[in-house]
Amino acid sequence: QRSTTGRGLAPTGTREVHLKLHCYRGAFGPWAAFSRRRAMPMSRTVLLSLLAVPASALRDSDGSARPYRLQRASPVTKALLAANVASFAVVQRRQRLFLALAKSNAALARGQYYRLASSCLLHANAAHLFVNSASLHNIGPVVEAHFGSTRFAALYAASGVCGNVLSWSLGRAPLSVGASGAIFGLLGGWAVFLASNQRVLEARGARNIGESLSSLATTCALNAALGLSPGSRLDNFGHAGGALGGMAFGALCGPRLREAWVPLRAGGPGLALVDQPLLRLPGRQPSGRRRGTPVGRQRRRA
């Protein structure tokens, strides 16, 4: 999150089941990359291979033990990317609109709280837009696949607002815009997902999750150091608030996986991964192969 220019930061999840972390050095200067030496096989390819229970074989759940499904598409990520580009194109011709939607501490003090959310769609310049869009494009589909579109959208929005709230409450960055607080929230939510489900994931072949968590922490620390460097205009408190908001959301509403016996239409119960978050958002998980893929492995009781 920046007052004039921005820097983005996000891990890159690939279909070849690798997780890389990149720290973008600056909007106009050379980029410095921080990448993990050992790739962690922790993406949709690993999880998709873990369950033989077809979606059509699962009966409707009562909501307490819902089979966990990976979402194949990422419509919210695409919509956010399009919204970032569209809003940037509009405010280039209407500077008054930019000032009316940006996070302004003075305006927030007068009760214009909509700025806590609207500023997440604005960017100071083309470089700011490119870095944040590249970061969202890298991490967004991975998080949306594991959280689902509803939770992903809520995570993104809550993180962006939390980042602006912390920055405003501490009197930092009197005028700022950018989606980096929300992107840091995706990092925080993803880190909580890996930490809270580490045993389940490692039992199914995922490796180096601990190293990935360390890499996430190191990358965030590097970004914070850049924000404290002389001449930097990064809003570290906006980033920190977004990360903390994302972590809190991940702990309360993020996927919590465990094995459970679920009824099968074909007959007896089968053992599969179910998602039981501490707080479930309204709405049902996608059912059927068109929108999601169940994750786990099939077992039947004798």
Side-chain angles (χ1 to χ4, degrees):
Q1 186 170 345
R2 302 269 302 178
S3 55
T4 55
T5 58
R7 300 181 178 96
L9 177 66
T12 303
T14 68
R15 292 181 182 275
E16 291 78 15
V17 275
H18 297 298
L19 183 68
K20 298 180 180 178
L21 302 174
H22 296 277
C23 177
Y24 300 113
R25 175 70 180 177
F28 298 101
W31 290 6
F34 173 76
S35 301
R36 297 181 59 254
R37 293 184 177 180
R38 299 180 62 187
M40 183 190 68
M42 179 55 246
S43 184
R44 64 183 66 187
T45 306
V46 170
L47 293 181
L48 288 175
S49 66
L50 300 179
L51 179 65
V53 180
S56 60
L58 296 170
R59 294 176 181 170
D60 292 336
S61 173
D62 60 359
S64 60
R66 197 169 291 178
Y68 180 64
R69 292 176 172 85
L70 283 178
Q71 184 171 295
R72 298 179 179 178
S74 51
V76 175
T77 299
K78 294 177 181 178
L80 289 172
L81 290 170
N84 287 341
V85 175
S87 62
F88 181 77
V90 170
V91 299
Q92 291 305 300
R93 297 178 176 271
R94 301 181 181 180
Q95 288 298 317
R96 290 185 179 180
L97 182 61
F98 180 89
L99 295 176
L101 299 178
K103 193 218 83 177
S104 168
N105 290 352
L108 287 170
R110 296 193 298 267
Q112 298 180 11
Y113 301 121
Y114 66 87
R115 294 173 179 264
L116 295 173
S118 63
S119 61
C120 297
L121 293 174
L122 302 180
H123 292 84
N125 49 49
H128 190 195
L129 172 66
F130 174 77
V131 172
N132 278 347
S133 295
S135 302
L136 177 59
H137 175 74
N138 287 333
I139 187 176
V142 178
V143 179
E144 187 171 358
H146 292 81
F147 277 64
S149 291
T150 300
R151 277 188 293 197
F152 176 80
L155 169 62
Y156 187 91
S159 301
V161 171
C162 286
N164 284 330
V165 167
L166 183 61
S167 177
W168 170 45
S169 63
L170 297 178
R172 305 290 177 167
L175 183 67
S176 64
V177 294
S180 52
I183 294 172
F184 265 84
L186 298 183
L187 284 170
W190 179 247
V192 170
F193 170 80
L194 293 179
S196 60
N197 298 292
Q198 182 172 357
R199 292 179 58 185
V200 175
L201 298 174
E202 288 181 343
R204 286 158 178 76
R207 297 173 297 170
N208 304 329
I209 294 181
E211 294 183 13
S212 296
L213 292 171
S214 298
S215 296
L216 283 170
T218 302
T219 308
C220 291
L222 288 174
N223 193 83
L226 291 175
L228 296 174
S229 62
S232 173
R233 307 185 76 169
L234 279 175
D235 185 3
N236 271 342
F237 289 97
H239 293 173
L244 292 174
M247 294 175 67
F249 184 94
L252 292 174
C253 304
R256 287 184 174 268
L257 308 180
R258 70 176 185 86
E259 283 190 338
W261 293 97
V262 295
L264 301 177
R265 291 176 177 174
L271 187 63
L273 281 183
V274 296
D275 177 13
Q276 292 186 315
L278 297 179
L279 179 63
R280 190 179 298 278
L281 296 181
R284 295 180 60 86
Q285 295 290 326
S287 60
R289 288 186 174 273
R290 293 182 181 178
R291 297 181 57 188
T293 302
V295 179
R297 58 185 179 188
Q298 180 180 9
R299 293 182 187 172
R300 291 194 179 185
R301 291 184 178 178

